[in-house]
């Protein structure tokens, strides 16, 4: 068996790039399409097999230590032509056969619409009628792209195939390739009388109304998909999808924590001492709340199922109300005397340093987030 390095004419320590260059040079000289002689065909087989072995690091290593190298690559013989074609032209051998013509009907593009919601909309969900500027089907031609009463005609250049062939001369001989027909743009047909309304596109720009039920529980940044509600495609192709991107506007009183609503209730010092009942306005109506006697700033009062309906699931979250006891900044003499009398009766402990608790100053926040 001939030495692979001698067949390619390279040294045993030749680099992969040197081996590839040698193979290209010999392939140009010996390929059957260029040199049809029997001797050239046999040499081409040897060159191809040698390159298959030496271009593969594992096979080359086995060959160098005494193995036969095998036929792990493209194999000897004329089957290596596709590899050579790819090396020189970047594609498969034998030229490109004419394929089917392109379809004028294509899927429409997706559309994105931003929707602003209030926190109240999020509690139960909301219905919206949205005005969307998009592409719609041309009513004149109904997507045919032709003037009414006319139709596309077969291209007289490519005869309906959408492609034309041309012959390229190369070192390997004549190679036949195919490319889209420039007359019909690869469609296989031409439109001699385009629709005057849509200029032969089969669609026009227009505003249309899209009705959508936005579910409860959505939040800022969420995208809702409406399949088939986007732009109609060229030549009346299927519609793309419509995406709604949600933005929830901040509320002056309530904020959101998952499916719960958070609020702050300011309570006077007297009400905090004695306790009281109050009616507050939630996002879906008035609700009674009992403030127990001795409530402290940072305590959280929970009203069950007055929060947000989950996006996926049932029931509702809670309304959590954080208490903030308001100490009067100014007292008239009589009120001050009453407070002093209360102090004498209750004898409160004087201010003193107590055990340090991390996060004491964010007590209210921590209770909200527990």
């Amino acid at each position: 068996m001939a030495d692979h390095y001698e067949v390619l004419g390279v040294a045993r320590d030749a680099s992969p790039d040197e081996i590839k260059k040698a193979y290209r040079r010999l392939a140009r000289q010996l390929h059957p399409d260029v040199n049809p002689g029997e001797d050239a065909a046999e040499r081409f087989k040897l060159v191809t097999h040698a390159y298959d072995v030496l271009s593969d690091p594992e096979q080359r290593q086995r060959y160098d230590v005494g193995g036969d190298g095998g036929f792990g690559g493209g194999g000897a013989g004329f089957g290596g032509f596709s590899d050579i074609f790819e090396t020189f032209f970047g594609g498969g051998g034998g030229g490109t056969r004419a394929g089917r013509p392109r379809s004028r009907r294509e899927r429409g593009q997706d559309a994105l619409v931003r929707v602003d919601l209030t926190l109240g909309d999020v509690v139960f969900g909301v219905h919206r009628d949205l005005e969307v500027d998009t592409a719609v089907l041309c009513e004149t031609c109904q997507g045919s792209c032709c003037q009414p009463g006319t139709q596309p005609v077969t291209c007289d250049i490519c005869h309906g195939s959408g492609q034309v062939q041309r012959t390229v001369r190369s070192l390997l001989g004549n190679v036949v390739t195919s490319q889209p027909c420039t007359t019909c743009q690869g469609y296989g047909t031409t439109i001699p009388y385009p629709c005057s309304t849509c200029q032969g596109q089969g669609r026009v720009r227009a505003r249309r109304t899209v009705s959508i039920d936005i579910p409860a529980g959505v939040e800022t940044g969420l995208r809702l998909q409406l399949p088939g509600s986007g732009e109609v495609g060229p030549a009346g192709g299927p519609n793309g999808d419509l995406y709604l991107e949600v933005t929830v506007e901040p509320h002056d009183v309530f904020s959101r924590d998952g499916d719960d609503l958070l609020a702050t209730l300011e309570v006077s010092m007297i009400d905090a001492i004695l306790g009281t009942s109050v009616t507050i306005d939630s996002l879906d109506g008035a609700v009674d709340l009992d403030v127990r006697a001795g409530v402290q700033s940072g305590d959280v009062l929970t009203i069950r199922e007055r929060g947000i309906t989950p996006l996926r699931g049932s029931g509702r979250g809670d309304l959590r109300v954080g208490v903030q006891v308001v100490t009067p900044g100014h007292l008239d003499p009589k009120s001050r005397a009453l407070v002093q009398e209360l102090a004498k009766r209750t004898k409160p402990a004087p201010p003193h340093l107590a055990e340090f608790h991390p996060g004491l100053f964010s007590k209210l926040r921590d209770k909200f987030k527990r």
Side-chain angles (χ1 to χ4, degrees), residues 352-367:
H352 62 283
L353 292 177
E355 180 184 354
F356 175 74
H357 295 283
L360 178 64
F361 297 102
S362 57
K363 180 179 180 183
L364 179 60
R365 181 198 63 197
D366 292 343
K367 285 199 173 186

Side-chain angles (χ1 to χ4, degrees), residues 3 26 51 154 182 194 212 230 259 268 329 359:
D3 182 83
L26 292 172
Y51 177 71
T154 302
T182 57
I212 173 67
D259 294 327
S268 70

Side-chain angles (χ1 to χ4, degrees), residues 295-347:
V295 71
Q296 303 293 314
S297 285
D299 287 349
V300 176
L301 309 178
T302 300
I303 304 174
R304 300 296 181 188
E305 297 188 348
R306 285 285 182 161
I308 296 172
T309 304
L311 181 60
R312 296 178 180 85
S314 58
R316 293 180 60 182
D318 299 330
L319 172 57
R320 306 211 306 268
V321 181
V323 175
Q324 181 178 347
V325 178
V326 179
T327 303
H330 175 74
L331 292 175
D332 58 55
K334 186 175 181 180
S335 297
R336 185 177 184 83
L338 290 173
V339 173
Q340 289 174 338
E341 179 65 23
L342 176 64
K344 291 179 182 179
R345 289 177 176 274
T346 58
K347 296 181 180 181

Side-chain angles (χ1 to χ4, degrees), residues 119 122-123 248-264 283 306-308 318-322 368-369:
L119 193 56
V122 176
V123 174
V248 181
E249 300 171 351
H251 195 276
D252 294 335
V253 175
F254 299 98
S255 61
R256 179 178 181 176
D257 179 26
D259 294 327
D260 292 342
L261 290 175
L262 311 179
T264 300
L283 289 176
R306 285 285 182 161
I308 296 172
D318 299 330
L319 172 57
R320 306 211 306 268
V321 181
F368 271 154
K369 298 297 182 181

Side-chain angles (χ1 to χ4, degrees), residues 103-155:
S103 172
R104 295 183 187 274
R105 286 174 51 85
E106 297 179 6
R107 181 183 183 274
Q109 292 183 341
D110 297 336
L112 175 65
V113 177
R114 291 178 173 82
V115 182
D116 294 328
L117 303 177
T118 66
L119 193 56
D121 295 333
V122 176
V123 174
F124 292 112
V126 65
H127 177 85
R128 286 288 179 86
D129 291 326
L130 305 176
E131 294 291 327
V132 181
D133 184 7
T134 184
V136 298
L137 186 69
C138 175
E139 295 183 357
T140 301
C141 69
Q142 294 297 309
S144 70
C145 305
C146 305
Q147 282 282 35
T150 67
Q151 59 184 7
V153 297
T154 302
C155 176

Side-chain angles (χ1 to χ4, degrees), residues 12 16 23 47 61 89 131 191 196 242 253 256-257 322 326 345:
R12 300 191 71 84
Y23 171 62
V47 166
Q61 184 179 14
F89 297 98
E131 294 291 327
I191 300 177
S196 59
L242 177 64
V253 175
R256 179 178 181 176
D257 179 26
V326 179
R345 289 177 176 274

Side-chain angles (χ1 to χ4, degrees), residues 2-307:
D3 182 83
H4 293 333
Y5 292 100
E6 292 181 359
V7 169
L8 293 179
V10 297
R12 300 191 71 84
D13 60 351
S15 67
D17 188 56
E18 291 173 334
I19 292 174
K20 188 173 184 178
K21 288 181 179 179
Y23 171 62
R24 286 182 173 180
R25 174 176 54 80
L26 292 172
R28 291 191 183 100
Q29 299 173 5
L30 302 174
H31 192 274
D33 285 353
V34 178
N35 193 338
E38 292 185 5
D39 292 341
E42 291 300 322
R43 287 191 61 195
F44 177 71
K45 293 180 181 180
L46 294 176
V47 166
T48 301
H49 178 46
Y51 177 71
D52 288 339
V53 173
L54 299 184
S55 63
D56 183 284
E58 294 184 1
Q59 291 193 62
R60 182 179 181 180
Q61 184 179 14
R62 289 199 300 269
Y63 179 75
D64 288 342
V65 297
D68 61 8
F71 288 83
F78 301 148
F81 174 72
S82 60
D83 296 333
I84 297 176
F85 194 95
E86 183 173 359
T87 300
F88 296 136
F89 297 98
T96 302
R97 295 192 304 173
R100 294 181 178 180
R102 294 171 54 194
S103 172
R104 295 183 187 274
R105 286 174 51 85
E106 297 179 6
R107 181 183 183 274
Q109 292 183 341
D110 297 336
L112 175 65
V113 177
R114 291 178 173 82
V115 182
D116 294 328
L117 303 177
T118 66
L119 193 56
D121 295 333
V122 176
V123 174
F124 292 112
V126 65
H127 177 85
R128 286 288 179 86
D129 291 326
L130 305 176
E131 294 291 327
V132 181
D133 184 7
T134 184
V136 298
L137 186 69
C138 175
E139 295 183 357
T140 301
C141 69
Q142 294 297 309
S144 70
C145 305
C146 305
Q147 282 282 35
T150 67
Q151 59 184 7
V153 297
T154 302
C155 176
D156 56 4
I157 300 300
C158 66
H159 306 292
S161 68
Q163 299 188 25
V164 293
Q165 295 184 340
R166 66 188 183 98
T167 302
V168 179
R169 296 185 62 83
S170 70
L171 294 174
L172 305 181
N174 295 335
V175 179
V176 179
T177 64
S178 296
Q179 62 184 13
C181 174
T182 57
T183 301
C184 65
Q185 305 302 314
Y187 294 119
T189 59
T190 60
I191 300 177
Y193 303 103
C195 174
S196 59
T197 301
C198 62
Q199 285 73 51
Q201 297 298 311
R203 59 180 184 169
V204 294
R205 303 296 302 186
R207 295 187 68 83
R208 62 187 177 93
T209 301
V210 177
S211 295
I212 173 67
D213 289 320
I214 300 175
V218 297
E219 56 186 340
T220 295
L222 181 70
R223 286 191 175 183
L224 303 175
Q225 181 182 12
L226 280 69
S229 294
E231 294 192 348
V232 68
N239 290 59
D241 298 337
L242 177 64
Y243 291 87
L244 304 181
E245 186 173 83
V246 173
T247 299
V248 181
E249 300 171 351
H251 195 276
D252 294 335
V253 175
F254 299 98
S255 61
R256 179 178 181 176
D257 179 26
D259 294 327
D260 292 342
L261 290 175
L262 311 179
T264 300
L265 180 68
E266 292 186 349
V267 178
S268 70
M269 184 180 66
I270 302 301
D271 287 337
I273 295 172
L274 301 177
T276 186
S277 294
V278 63
T279 299
I280 61 175
D281 292 326
S282 68
L283 289 176
D284 57 323
V287 59
D288 295 331
L289 177 64
D290 291 329
V291 180
R292 67 179 181 277
V295 71
Q296 303 293 314
S297 285
D299 287 349
V300 176
L301 309 178
T302 300
I303 304 174
R304 300 296 181 188
E305 297 188 348
R306 285 285 182 161

